[in-house]
Amino acid sequence: MPSPNHPFPPPISPPATLSFFLEFSLNQLEKAVEAAHTFFMANPEHMEMQQNIENYRTMAGVEALQLVDLEARPHLESYSAGVKHYEADDFELAIKYFEQALREYFSEDTECRALCEGPQRFEEYEYLGYKAGLYEAIADHYMQVLVCQHECVRELATRPGRLSPIENFLPLHYDYLQFAYYRVGEYVKALECAKAYLLLHPDDEDVLDNVDYYESLLDDSSDPASIEAREDLAMFVKRHKMESELIKSAAEGLGFSYTEPVRAKREEEMVPSGVNVEGAEVHGLSMGKKSSPKIDRDLREGGPLLYENITFVYNSEQLNGTQRVLLDNVLSEEQCRELHSVASGIMLVGDGYRGKTSPHTPNEKFEGATVLKALKFGYEGRVPLKSARLFYDISEKARKIVESYFMLNSTLYFSYTHMVCRTALSGQQDRRTDLSHPIHADNCLLDPEANECWKEPPAYTFRDYSALLYMNDDFEGGEFIFTEMDAKTVTASIKPKCGRMISFSSGGENPHGVKSSDKEGERTWKVGDAMWRENNWERIQADEVIAILDREQQGKHELNINPKDEL
């Protein structure tokens, strides 16, 4: 039976949050928060669980220290702690945690390899139909074990719940350490770590320069040639290369394919950046603001806006980010009113979110409608066809502006176009602390703890650019915000108003969200476009409806029919 203090749990979605629900029902609040936080760390895109955590953090007795990840892996936690101290210029503590992370890493590597020594698996063929000879069976089993052990490097670089490993994970420990040891004056250890890093990335010019500089700092009693790469990594790399050769040879002989889990770092993935220290240029991982995620295209902006009356407001630099632009007067006041009018006839609660009334926050009602639905309603006479056509035309206008302003060398198509209304629910706005739309990225899963954005499902990984076009400003709050990848540090805040458009690239370089409205009953209206390199099926259908309407209109003009004669 629910307790008097906590009569009912907030809405949750079983079975993923079953542990959280059961522990709440048993009034074990601390364990409930731990279970919720653990689930959220592996599923940072899960909006409802994020809201659950925020709800329980406001309850008495729930402190930040209770946000424990029950599936946290020690070496990853130590690594994250090392990065935080490094960025705070606390190099002594950074060294402590990076060294601890390495000890834990190699210990977990040993355990991971031991677990590979199990019975032979038969995923690719039926057990009863397996007719290999003795030597072939032995070779088959041995290669299964060897491939499994070789994959431990990928396994240990992958956070719980994620599909993709942290890029360049093990070498980064030594890259951080070489600079940290330099900053505390331990030049021999700095040299050992730099040489260790070069075992995996021998052509890294920054670290090669560091090696020369560290050698010049040694006293006369030290022979630079006698200082070798760290033994822990040297042994690891030697074993890894031997395994790679064995697997490569076996793959050719036994006819299976294999992708190496550790690869050389491409030039555009180079992590170190120059930091000038005491007059000498020594290269370490950049401190302070983390570098933005890499974008696999040329970054350009400032192209023509194509349409008269559109007002340029801010570019990427003024919005403190990458590939961002803010424009005004993309819609006129009259067009905003007309879209309001058509919206009232086509919007559906929970549209696009499987009918969920409040998909992002329980404090607001969400309504939406697509371009295709508007055109169908217009064609059927349920809403003015002219207004439905305006919805389509405005989305095309936004696409052309984005293509032109960001000077893209290929055509953008629509992934999704949605007219949205958010309404602040009565009785639920007092002491509200959540966001109208939590911080996220559009084509990857934002992981603030890891400072990463994982480009994997269920994120819409195919999206390239996004645009939001506001239709009203008769409300308080509701600002659109950009943040750093920590999902906390706001880099830009934009007040909505009729005709204002914000557009940006859809990746982890642009985490964003929406602040809540301040008053009950206030409604925020906007049109959202997500664009990529291929058209989605619904947009193709909308284009076909437009083509039919254009042909019908053309036919009327060619026949010179007076509309009154048709009545």
Side-chain angles (χ1 to χ4, degrees):
M1 181 177 178
S3 72
N5 293 331
H6 311 301
F8 295 103
I12 57 175
S13 301
T17 56
L18 181 60
S19 174
F20 172 60
F21 179 78
L22 290 176
E23 285 161 351
F24 179 89
S25 298
L26 294 172
N27 202 26
Q28 296 181 0
L29 186 57
E30 182 174 344
K31 290 186 177 180
V33 174
E34 289 179 353
H37 181 65
T38 299
F39 178 83
F40 182 68
M41 293 307 297
N43 302 273
E45 76 288 350
H46 198 283
M47 304 297 186
E48 292 176 28
M49 187 54 70
Q50 185 178 28
Q51 184 60 48
N52 288 340
I53 294 171
E54 291 300 321
N55 288 344
Y56 282 95
R57 290 185 72 172
T58 63
M59 290 185 175
V62 179
E63 303 293 339
L65 293 176
Q66 292 174 308
L67 296 181
V68 176
D69 183 356
L70 300 175
E71 292 186 358
R73 307 178 74 172
H75 71 288
L76 289 168
E77 294 297 292
S78 297
Y79 172 80
S80 296
V83 172
K84 289 178 181 178
H85 288 296
Y86 182 97
E87 292 181 340
D89 290 1
D90 192 343
F91 296 107
E92 293 282 0
L93 276 178
I95 290 169
K96 172 187 173 182
Y97 281 104
F98 282 126
E99 293 288 7
Q100 179 176 315
L102 285 172
R103 291 192 296 271
E104 292 166 343
Y105 180 97
F106 290 119
S107 175
E108 292 192 42
D109 178 66
T110 300
E111 181 179 351
C112 177
R113 295 173 68 85
L115 292 173
C116 292
E117 300 275 2
Q120 188 170 1
R121 300 181 304 280
F122 296 91
E123 288 95 342
E124 297 181 4
Y125 35 71
E126 292 292 333
Y127 174 75
L128 295 177
Y130 185 66
K131 299 179 180 179
L134 175 63
Y135 296 114
E136 185 179 0
I138 292 173
D140 193 3
H141 185 209
Y142 176 73
M143 289 314 302
Q144 282 190 6
V145 172
L146 187 60
V147 168
C148 175
Q149 292 177 336
H150 201 63
E151 286 285 316
C152 285
V153 67
R154 179 183 279 128
E155 170 68 20
L156 294 178
T158 304
R159 293 182 179 274
R162 300 269 64 84
L163 300 176
S164 307
I166 298 173
E167 191 79 29
N168 203 34
F169 179 62
L170 182 58
L172 279 175
H173 290 70
Y174 297 91
D175 202 359
Y176 277 114
L177 280 169
Q178 58 95 11
F179 190 72
Y181 274 124
Y182 162 75
R183 291 299 304 269
V184 299
E186 297 195 40
Y187 305 132
V188 172
K189 291 183 177 180
L191 185 56
E192 290 174 341
C193 290
K195 288 186 175 182
Y197 182 85
L198 291 172
L199 293 175
L200 286 169
H201 300 301
D203 299 324
D204 191 312
E205 295 182 2
D206 289 337
V207 180
L208 285 169
D209 290 342
N210 287 358
V211 167
D212 293 338
Y213 184 69
Y214 297 155
E215 289 178 347
S216 72
L217 297 175
L218 300 176
D219 55 41
D220 296 336
S221 62
S222 299
D223 178 14
S226 67
I227 299 174
E228 299 181 346
R230 290 259 301 241
E231 186 178 4
D232 52 3
L233 188 63
M235 294 177 61
F236 181 91
V237 170
K238 181 179 180 180
R239 184 189 68 193
H240 196 85
K241 288 182 176 179
M242 290 176 62
E243 290 175 350
S244 295
E245 291 301 317
L246 282 171
I247 294 173
K248 181 180 178 182
S249 176
E252 294 174 356
L254 299 177
F256 66 89
S257 59
Y258 181 72
T259 302
E260 180 62 36
V262 173
R263 59 181 176 80
K265 187 171 54 171
R266 300 191 301 269
E267 183 178 352
E268 63 268 24
E269 293 174 341
M270 300 291 278
V271 180
S273 60
V275 181
N276 193 281
V277 181
E278 297 175 359
E281 188 178 271
V282 179
H283 298 277
L285 290 167
S286 60
M287 294 170 288
K289 180 180 177 181
K290 294 286 284 187
S291 58
S292 297
K294 298 169 284 294
I295 306 174
D296 56 356
R297 57 181 173 271
D298 293 333
L299 300 183
R300 297 183 295 174
E301 62 178 279
L305 299 179
L306 301 181
Y307 300 89
E308 293 182 2
N309 301 323
I310 292 180
T311 304
F312 170 82
V313 183
Y314 293 132
N315 60 17
S316 295
E317 183 178 359
Q318 292 164 315
L319 290 170
N320 302 311
T322 302
Q323 294 284 275
R324 302 174 181 177
V325 65
L326 180 64
L327 307 172
D328 277 346
N329 301 320
V330 178
L331 283 174
S332 67
E333 292 284 349
E334 182 180 352
Q335 288 174 326
C336 286
R337 288 192 295 271
E338 187 172 355
L339 288 174
H340 273 186
S341 176
V342 72
S344 62
I346 63 174
M347 282 204 167
L348 183 67
V349 173
D351 184 77
Y353 289 91
R354 300 179 181 177
K356 293 182 179 179
T357 303
S358 305
H360 304 305
T361 168
N363 299 308
E364 295 179 2
K365 181 176 72 173
F366 180 94
E367 300 169 272
T370 63
V371 166
L372 180 60
K373 183 178 179 181
L375 289 173
K376 284 183 176 179
F377 275 38
Y379 194 72
E380 295 168 359
R382 297 161 70 177
V383 296
L385 182 56
K386 175 176 173 290
S387 300
R389 176 69 186 255
L390 175 63
F391 185 7
Y392 176 91
D393 291 340
I394 286 299
S395 65
E396 281 293 329
K397 182 178 183 180
R399 179 185 64 79
K400 293 175 182 177
I401 292 170
V402 172
E403 270 185 10
S404 178
Y405 178 80
F406 289 113
M407 306 169 71
L408 304 180
N409 55 16
S410 60
T411 302
L412 284 177
Y413 298 95
F414 288 95
S415 162
Y416 197 56
T417 302
H418 213 203
M419 185 184 294
V420 167
C421 176
R422 302 173 189 269
T423 305
L425 297 177
S426 61
Q428 297 182 211
Q429 305 307 309
D430 292 342
R431 298 186 301 277
R432 183 178 170 186
T433 59
D434 67 330
L435 296 176
S436 177
H437 198 139
I439 303 300
H440 64 285
D442 285 347
N443 74 6
C444 53
L445 304 179
L446 188 63
D447 187 347
E449 291 292 324
N451 209 67
E452 294 279 356
C453 202
W454 308 101
K455 204 163 186 178
E456 59 189 47
Y460 301 104
T461 57
F462 44 80
R463 291 182 175 174
D464 294 309
Y465 282 86
S466 304
L468 296 176
L469 181 55
Y470 287 96
M471 296 155 53
N472 71 320
D473 54 10
D474 53 344
F475 56 90
E476 296 180 24
E479 292 88 352
F480 180 94
I481 56 174
F482 286 112
T483 73
E484 298 282 8
M485 289 188 69
D486 62 6
K488 296 177 182 177
T489 307
V490 176
T491 58
S493 179
I494 298 159
K495 175 68 177 175
K497 72 174 187 177
C498 166
R500 172 162 285 180
M501 187 176 97
I502 176 73
S503 181
F504 48 93
S505 54
S506 303
E509 67 278 3
N510 282 318
H512 58 278
V514 180
K515 290 185 177 181
S516 61
S517 298
D518 294 338
K519 292 184 178 180
E520 298 175 356
E522 291 187 326
R523 314 185 82 186
T524 309
W525 300 79
K526 65 185 176 186
V527 175
D529 288 315
M531 290 164 267
W532 63 317
R533 310 292 174 175
E534 298 180 30
N535 248 346
N536 74 339
W537 177 240
E538 183 167 291
R539 189 70 186 197
I540 292 173
Q541 290 180 294
D543 291 341
E544 290 174 350
V545 173
I546 290 294
I548 292 172
L549 294 173
D550 286 343
R551 284 197 299 271
E552 290 181 354
Q553 188 66 29
Q554 182 66 27
K556 290 179 181 180
H557 285 308
E558 290 176 354
L559 294 173
N560 195 26
I561 297 175
N562 188 327
K564 292 182 179 179
D565 295 337
E566 295 181 340
L567 299 177

